Amino acid sequence: MDVRMVWRQWLIRHDRVRDALPAVAVTLVAAAATAIGKAGWHEPHWADAVWTALSCLPLVVRSRWPMGVTLLTLAVDLTLIAFAPHIALAPAASLVALYTLATRGSRRTAWIAGIAAAVAITGVYGAAHPEPVLGANSLLRFDFAIAATALGLAVRSRRDHLAQARARAEHAERTREEEARRRVTEERVRIARDLHDVVAHHITLVNAQAGVAHHLMRTNPDQAYEALAHIKDNSRAALEELRATVGLLRQPDDAPGSRAPIPRLADLDTLVAGIRAGGLPVRVTRIGTPAPLAPATELTAYRIIQEALTNTHKHASATQAAVVLDYGPHVLRVTVTDDGRPGAPKGAGSGHGLIGMRERATAIGGTVTAGPRPEGGFQVVAELPLSLAPATV
């Protein structure tokens, strides 16, 4: 198999040699045919072999000019059939040229040339030999011309089919690679959002509680000690969430048992307690009947509330904040507001927080709007589906 592949590649690189091989074969067969007689083998008729070789000479460039080579070889073969009817292999060069034209030119041109050549060869052969035009030998040459054209078209169809199959395989491979790159990018963005949420939230609380402890260290050591305890709890929680997030990157698979528990709305009270311990009063209100939520919806709602309260604590200079969970028939509406002073730089910095909230909501089919309120302060509103539509293939 390897030898065949090497030979085929060598012929593709040396097209002149490939085109000349049929001419050499026809010439050798013609020389051998003239050496066979009734009495056995004898010296070949070299003149007939030379004429056959001359008729095959244009085949050396048959791949470059298939139509010109077909016309030239057909003219030489018809001349030999008419004036040297004893040369048995006269149409052979034309048959090779018709085959090449069928593999290189258009189908319509190949059939027109094949039928015209078959009629011409049959007519000239019938006129040059003492037998009817529709005799067996004449019709045999007609069939040869049609068969050469049909064989060339069949080979071309097979090549086209293989080329299309190869193109489809390459396209499928590129598509798989693009899909893999897309999934890697999405996973990278998701991990970046999780790390941002974890770090920004806990470090903000630690910073605020450290400020409280520093302020109260001399005047009220008990409250300062309490603030330091909150710092310890928040730093430990931050480390645990970071360890869980980074641990996902090291898992060889996505087995459910290998994942750390994800935050839920049931953990909202713990989140709010940490914010309150940092010095920002937060009121939580639930409207409607709480309904079972998809895990992705619960995680998204939790992360949006976490990010909104973290931004309020960092940038709004607010004295209080409010979280409203409104359970509708199909949508959970999450509203986070604060009473920060007008013109306070809410959402300052790189802006990754608001971008992350919108990306999280969009990923599950929800929306997020954020902006200042007319009466002052800032508001974040997220509308998230209670249940997610099944993915379609």
Side-chain angles (χ1 to χ4, degrees):
M1 186 63 181
D2 293 340
V3 175
R4 290 174 56 189
M5 290 298 297
V6 171
W7 172 247
R8 184 177 300 174
Q9 293 297 328
W10 188 86
L11 288 179
I12 291 175
R13 292 194 301 268
H14 300 81
D15 55 340
R16 291 289 184 88
V17 177
R18 180 194 61 209
D19 289 347
L21 287 179
V24 175
V26 170
T27 303
L28 293 177
V29 172
T34 61
I36 299 176
K38 294 181 180 180
W41 288 89
H42 55 78
E43 185 179 357
H45 297 164
W46 296 112
D48 295 348
V50 170
W51 280 112
T52 302
L54 291 176
S55 68
C56 293
L57 187 60
L59 295 178
V60 176
V61 292
R62 59 191 176 94
S63 295
R64 298 190 178 185
W65 299 290
M67 178 57 75
V69 170
T70 300
L71 296 176
L72 183 58
T73 54
L74 182 61
V76 175
D77 280 341
L78 292 177
T79 302
L80 292 177
I81 293 174
F83 297 100
H86 59 281
I87 299 179
L89 296 181
S94 298
L95 299 183
V96 175
L98 289 173
Y99 166 85
T100 304
L101 179 62
T103 59
R104 299 283 178 171
S106 66
R107 296 180 181 273
R108 183 170 179 270
T109 301
W111 277 121
I112 292 175
I115 295 174
V119 172
I121 292 173
T122 302
V124 172
Y125 184 88
H129 291 77
E131 61 180 65
V133 176
L134 298 180
N137 290 330
S138 298
L139 292 180
L140 184 62
R141 282 158 177 77
F142 180 91
D143 293 340
F144 279 163
I146 297 298
T149 301
L151 179 61
L153 291 176
V155 171
R156 178 180 177 178
S157 297
R158 181 176 179 276
R159 289 175 181 172
D160 292 344
H161 177 73
L162 292 177
Q164 292 173 1
R166 190 179 300 109
R168 288 194 297 268
E170 292 175 354
H171 175 72
E173 185 66 24
R174 289 195 301 271
T175 302
R176 283 194 294 270
E177 293 176 356
E178 292 171 359
E179 178 67 14
R181 286 195 294 268
R182 184 185 66 81
R183 289 180 180 273
V184 169
T185 301
E186 290 179 353
E187 184 67 9
R188 188 176 298 154
V189 172
R190 184 191 67 80
I191 293 171
R193 284 199 302 261
D194 286 344
L195 289 176
H196 172 272
D197 292 343
V198 171
V199 173
H201 170 70
H202 288 290
I203 295 303
T204 298
L205 293 182
V206 167
N207 180 70
Q209 290 159 357
V212 172
H214 181 270
H215 178 72
L216 298 175
M217 184 62 69
R218 295 181 179 178
T219 59
N220 196 333
D222 292 338
Q223 289 188 6
Y225 179 82
E226 184 178 351
L228 291 175
H230 286 305
I231 290 176
K232 179 181 178 182
D233 293 339
N234 278 292
S235 60
R236 183 177 64 252
L239 289 174
E240 290 176 353
E241 291 199 40
L242 283 174
R243 188 179 298 112
T245 302
V246 175
L248 291 177
L249 302 179
R250 299 176 178 174
Q251 296 296 335
D253 51 33
D254 290 331
S258 65
R259 291 182 178 271
I262 61 175
R264 293 181 169 279
L265 289 180
D267 303 317
L268 185 59
D269 292 339
T270 302
L271 172 68
V272 171
I275 297 292
R276 289 170 180 161
L280 177 65
V282 180
R283 183 180 71 257
V284 179
T285 304
R286 293 176 173 85
I287 301 175
T289 303
L293 302 178
T297 300
E298 284 213 55
L299 175 62
T300 301
Y302 180 92
R303 291 302 190 193
I304 289 175
I305 295 171
Q306 181 186 53
E307 180 63 28
L309 292 177
T310 300
N311 285 343
T312 296
H313 203 289
K314 287 172 61 177
H315 306 299
S317 299
T319 60
Q320 62 179 357
V323 177
V324 178
L325 300 177
D326 187 355
Y327 292 87
H330 305 290
V331 174
L332 170 64
R333 183 183 177 92
V334 179
T335 305
V336 182
T337 58
D338 63 61
D339 61 350
R341 67 178 185 273
K346 302 137 183 113
S350 62
H352 293 309
L354 294 178
I355 294 174
M357 286 191 281
R358 292 191 179 99
E359 288 179 346
R360 286 185 179 277
T362 303
I364 63 170
T367 61
V368 167
T369 58
R373 298 190 300 166
E375 63 272 23
F378 200 78
Q379 177 175 268
V380 175
V381 179
E383 294 187 352
L384 308 175
L386 296 181
S387 60
L388 304 184
T392 58
V393 179

